[in-house]
Amino acid sequence: MTKESMQHKNDYALEPVPDSEQTHGWAVGMVNGSLAFAVPGLITGIEIGQALGFYKSVAAFLVGGLILALLGSCTAIVGRSNRFTSYLTLKFVFGIWGAKIVSFCFVLSLLGWYGVNLDLFAYATNALLTDYMNITLNNTAIEWGGSVVIVMTTLYGFHRIERLAAYLVPVMAIVTALLLAKSVIAMEHLTAPVPSMSFGTAVSAVVGSFIVSIVLMPDLTRFCRKKHDAVIASFLPFFVLSSFVYIAASLAANVFLTADILTLMVKVGLGLAALLLLLCSSWLTNVLNLYSAALGTAAVGNSTKQHVLIIGLGILGVVASSLNLLDNFSDFLFSLSILFTPVAAIYCADFFILRRSALYCQEERIPSFNVVALLAWGLGVAFSIYSGYITFTITPIHAIDALVVSFLSYLVLAKVHTRLFVPKESI
């Protein structure tokens, strides 16, 4: 097998993407757009909508979406410029073993998302089969069967995922548009609940819903042709499409007064359409989760046998579905925003400010650990967690606090480290 065919077989997990494999920003954006139309996105809209009320939740969705789109544009440009996966990018910033630690955390979170989607798929499939055919299947059997299909799809690599997204995203958009249309018709029943969540917490939850995808943007945008393609690939899914989905879900929840996604779909007359949405979203979303998890695991273990990783991670994803993360979904999202927003801030600070957009090179001498980056990450996370106890925050949004603290900490600590430990003649 030639080197070129070997790289293609492994989807350039350990190599920069060549010019011949590049594509347009709209195509890449549609891949992440599938995440916007996934059922977890609808659940996020429902939970925030019921906690804040419809109109305040719309503001939270737009603010959170704008934060995601701007931060995502930065991480997307890093990926497009260097043509490396997010995990290889992290290696240049956090060091060889430091990147393995960060990457391992991302793989765990992606498996968590995999489990959430399988849970939703099994629950909805059984509920609809019971309602329409009076049949009940074993949830575990449904999850294993769905995982087999997801693994088989992921084995074909990025360009097949891109093609799948092009077909399935419009289908999911139509179902969501029907949900919004039926909710608008019934708007005279719109209620105004007593807020049970702060605006800042709601925005952090919106950021958390996509923050893993933001940090992993280089996995997809390394295929973008130009910088504006990378920006399109960020704004399309994280601001335009996600806001549309969240608003539709929030309005429906406040009009029909239910937090259960399946009950909501049935109430508006979309029972079979709900099954179609679940099939499409679970399939495509988990293909993307598994794809990124495999890239991360390949980088952690320096493995080129990506097909073996995909199969193994698919099995672990089914195991993750037994952890019932769906029962604490808002807390799960909030934790992700605090944990991973600093990572995006740090590698953007490194590339755009410290390196002044100089490209990463595989021949560079990379330390085992970049203590400065790891310390800045820890400071950002710690500040967000403990700021509530000392009643001091920079902004009302915990995710933004984590971003600001880690971003500034990294720049200051890097400057101090250079002055104290780097010989002047090497600067």
Side-chain angles (χ1 to χ4, degrees):
M1 182 178 290
T2 65
K3 182 178 180 181
E4 182 179 354
S5 61
M6 187 68 156
Q7 287 174 341
H8 182 72
K9 181 179 179 61
N10 293 289
D11 224 5
Y12 311 102
L14 302 175
E15 301 287 343
V17 173
D19 293 344
S20 60
E21 296 294 323
Q22 293 167 20
T23 187
H24 296 288
W26 293 102
V28 176
M30 288 292 277
V31 174
N32 266 331
S34 67
L35 299 178
F37 288 104
V39 175
L42 291 169
I43 293 176
T44 302
I46 289 171
E47 292 193 357
I48 294 176
Q50 290 201 321
L52 282 184
F54 175 64
Y55 294 107
K56 287 185 178 179
S57 71
V58 170
F61 299 145
L62 294 177
V63 171
L66 184 60
I67 292 169
L68 286 167
L70 292 173
L71 185 57
S73 294
C74 295
T75 60
I77 290 172
V78 173
R80 181 264 162 197
S81 299
N82 291 286
R83 305 294 182 193
F84 289 132
T85 65
S86 57
Y87 300 96
L88 289 180
T89 300
L90 292 173
K91 183 180 71 173
F92 291 101
V93 181
F94 288 86
I96 296 172
W97 283 96
K100 291 179 187 293
I101 294 172
V102 180
S103 299
F104 180 71
C105 292
F106 276 111
V107 170
L108 290 180
S109 69
L110 288 166
L111 290 177
W113 276 115
Y114 194 98
V116 165
N117 278 286
L118 280 182
D119 267 344
L120 283 168
F121 175 69
Y123 158 71
T125 299
N126 254 334
L128 289 170
L129 286 174
T130 300
D131 287 345
Y132 287 94
M133 302 178 65
N134 200 28
I135 297 174
T136 301
L137 301 178
N138 181 273
N139 276 356
T140 303
I142 296 174
E143 290 168 357
W144 278 105
S147 191
V148 168
V149 175
I150 292 164
V151 167
M152 295 300 295
T153 307
T154 310
L155 288 172
Y156 284 100
F158 173 78
H159 287 292
R160 294 295 178 89
I161 297 172
E162 175 192 336
R163 189 174 303 173
L164 181 64
Y167 288 114
L168 295 187
V169 169
V171 174
M172 294 188 286
I174 290 171
V175 175
T176 306
L178 288 173
L179 175 66
L180 178 60
K182 289 178 177 288
S183 300
V184 169
I185 291 172
M187 273 194 74
E188 67 268 17
H189 302 296
L190 182 64
T191 60
V194 177
S196 59
M197 178 186 292
S198 71
F199 184 80
T201 299
V203 173
S204 290
V206 172
V207 173
S209 65
F210 283 111
I211 192 59
V212 174
S213 298
I214 293 297
V215 183
L216 301 182
M217 279 293 278
D219 289 344
L220 302 181
T221 57
R222 61 199 175 111
F223 290 94
C224 286
R225 291 181 178 176
K226 300 182 181 296
K227 285 186 179 180
H228 72 263
D229 287 313
V231 175
I232 290 171
S234 178
F235 268 84
L236 176 63
F238 301 132
F239 184 71
V240 178
L241 297 180
S242 67
S243 296
F244 166 64
V245 172
Y246 290 153
I247 290 170
S250 175
L251 180 60
N254 281 289
V255 167
F256 296 102
L257 301 178
T258 178
D260 183 274
I261 180 62
L262 186 59
T263 302
L264 184 60
M265 288 290 192
V266 172
K267 274 191 173 185
V268 299
L270 295 174
L272 292 177
L275 178 59
L276 181 63
L277 177 66
L278 281 160
L279 283 169
C280 293
S281 71
S282 296
W283 183 12
L284 190 50
T285 302
N286 268 354
V287 165
L288 195 55
N289 288 333
L290 193 56
Y291 175 75
S292 289
L295 290 176
T297 307
V300 169
N302 294 323
S303 172
T304 58
K305 296 180 179 179
Q306 196 172 357
H307 62 289
V308 176
L309 295 177
I310 289 171
I311 295 170
L313 290 167
I315 294 171
L316 290 176
V318 179
V319 175
S321 67
S322 65
L323 299 178
N324 298 319
L325 292 173
L326 192 58
D327 294 340
N328 301 289
F329 190 60
S330 293
D331 292 337
F332 176 59
L333 295 181
F334 186 75
S335 299
L336 290 179
S337 71
I338 291 175
L339 184 60
F340 292 129
T341 301
V343 176
I346 289 167
Y347 80 68
C348 286
D350 183 82
F351 182 72
F352 291 109
I353 297 180
L354 296 186
R355 299 178 66 96
R356 299 178 183 178
S357 299
L359 300 183
Y360 297 120
C361 178
Q362 287 185 309
E363 285 71 36
E364 287 183 30
R365 182 184 176 278
I366 303 173
S368 295
F369 294 95
N370 181 350
V371 177
V372 170
L374 292 169
L375 183 57
W377 182 27
L379 287 172
V381 173
F383 182 87
S384 294
I385 293 175
Y386 292 107
S387 60
Y389 295 101
I390 61 177
T391 63
F392 173 76
T393 59
I394 300 173
T395 71
I397 304 168
H398 289 279
I400 294 300
D401 284 359
L403 186 153
V404 170
V405 171
S406 56
F407 185 89
L408 295 178
S409 296
Y410 182 65
L411 294 179
V412 171
L413 291 172
K415 189 171 183 178
V416 171
H417 178 268
T418 299
R419 286 192 174 183
L420 294 178
F421 300 105
V422 179
K424 291 184 179 180
E425 59 270 16
S426 64
I427 298 177

